[in-house]
Amino acid sequence: GAVVSQHPSWVICKSGTSVKIECRSLDFQATTMFWYRQFPKQSLMLMATSNEGSKATYEQGVEKDKFLINHASLTLSTLTVTSAHPEDSSFYICSARDWGVGVNTEAFFGQGTRLTVV
Amino acid sequence: LAKTTQPISMDSYEGQEVNITCSHNNIATNDYITWYQQFPSQGPRFIIQGYKTKVTNEVASLFIPADRKSSTLSLPRVSLSDTAVYYCLVGDQTGGSYIPTFGRGTSLIVHP
């Protein structure tokens, strides 16, 4: 199946700094990628939909100025957590679909990034 | 968007067959049913997908009744490594607006 790769797998940063997380579709082009956040023992919560070449669509309650999303190419989307605070510590996951395979293809997920803000 | 309901948790033993049922009463005509498995600190992994009747692959089977208002993921002869959270997703994957949306999932614990 298609491969979606995230980098880094984990990161520790100081409060007030910014952290960038990359999401790459390794063997297909993804016009749309999705970013999720998952707190311990909870489900994945959609943060935003990232569209190549245009602005991301954020879910209600997600601060677009804090969680900057850039989808500059068909294989790369980035999520930047700006001025991170301890409450931003979470597991961040990206997802993408390979539209070239077929209309009902499933979504593939990255391995996730564990962010810890100290 | 069709809402899904699953049991919060299930327990089983090695070697047993496990069936996890997902309810999706307001599933739409174009909606597909997709199941994912997630281990701690990992992204979800695709297990199986179906539209109607029965689908089988090398790891699981998916049973969907005629009214499609529910579906059952069947894991044959589970092992300890099948301990994970299982999510049922329902959505119109034929359109460009499909967004994978997760419910609470079912936490499966397999005991020795």
Side-chain angles (χ1 to χ4, degrees):
Chain A
V3 178
V4 174
S5 178
Q6 272 183 250
H7 178 80
S9 297
W10 60 270
V11 58
I12 301 173
C13 71
K14 291 184 178 180
S15 185
T17 62
S18 297
V19 173
K20 179 184 287 187
I21 302 170
E22 294 186 348
C23 179
R24 295 180 183 274
S25 55
L26 296 185
D27 50 1
F28 66 99
Q29 294 182 332
T31 55
T32 303
M33 291 185 175
F34 308 100
W35 286 96
Y36 299 82
R37 180 168 53 183
Q38 186 175 34
F39 292 107
K41 298 195 180 299
Q42 293 188 22
S43 183
L44 284 75
M45 184 173 62
L46 180 69
M47 297 176 66
T49 300
S50 169
N51 304 296
E52 187 268 336
S54 64
K55 292 182 179 180
T57 303
Y58 290 82
E59 294 299 298
Q60 190 174 7
V62 177
E63 301 175 57
K64 61 180 182 181
D65 294 330
K66 181 172 184 60
F67 298 99
L68 301 179
I69 292 174
N70 183 281
H71 194 159
S73 78
L74 288 172
T75 60
L76 174 64
S77 175
T78 61
L79 168 67
T80 301
V81 182
T82 63
S83 186
H85 290 283
E87 57 264 30
D88 298 323
S89 298
S90 187
F91 192 55
Y92 293 86
I93 306 169
C94 71
S95 171
R97 295 178 69 200
D98 183 358
W99 291 99
V101 174
V103 294
N104 64 333
T105 184
E106 65 274 18
F108 293 93
F109 292 80
Q111 69 269 39
T113 298
R114 174 72 60 191
L115 170 63
T116 302
V117 184
V118 297
Chain B
L1 197 65
K3 179 181 177 181
T4 60
T5 303
Q6 305 174 230
I8 293 176
S9 63
M10 293 181 68
D11 288 86
S12 184
Y13 292 89
E14 284 189 291
Q16 290 188 335
E17 177 185 79
V18 172
N19 296 308
I20 305 174
T21 297
C22 178
S23 174
H24 28 80
N25 290 319
N26 59 339
I27 188 170
T29 302
N30 289 337
D31 286 350
Y32 280 76
I33 301 159
T34 309
W35 285 80
Y36 287 88
Q37 174 191 57
Q38 186 184 27
F39 297 112
S41 296
Q42 294 187 28
R45 184 174 74 100
F46 170 81
I47 301 175
I48 197 166
Q49 176 183 281
Y51 183 80
K52 61 180 179 180
T53 61
K54 177 184 175 181
V55 180
T56 297
N57 61 23
E58 62 275 9
V59 297
S61 294
L62 179 59
F63 299 92
I64 306 169
D67 65 6
R68 304 200 326 122
K69 293 184 182 298
S70 67
S71 59
T72 299
L73 173 71
S74 182
L75 305 173
R77 298 179 299 280
V78 294
S79 63
L80 296 177
S81 62
D82 292 316
T83 294
V85 178
Y86 293 82
Y87 294 97
C88 160
L89 277 67
V90 173
D92 181 0
Q93 298 184 180
T94 62
S97 60
Y98 172 66
I99 299 175
T101 303
F102 288 77
R104 298 184 65 177
T106 298
S107 176
L108 171 66
I109 298 176
V110 179
H111 302 276

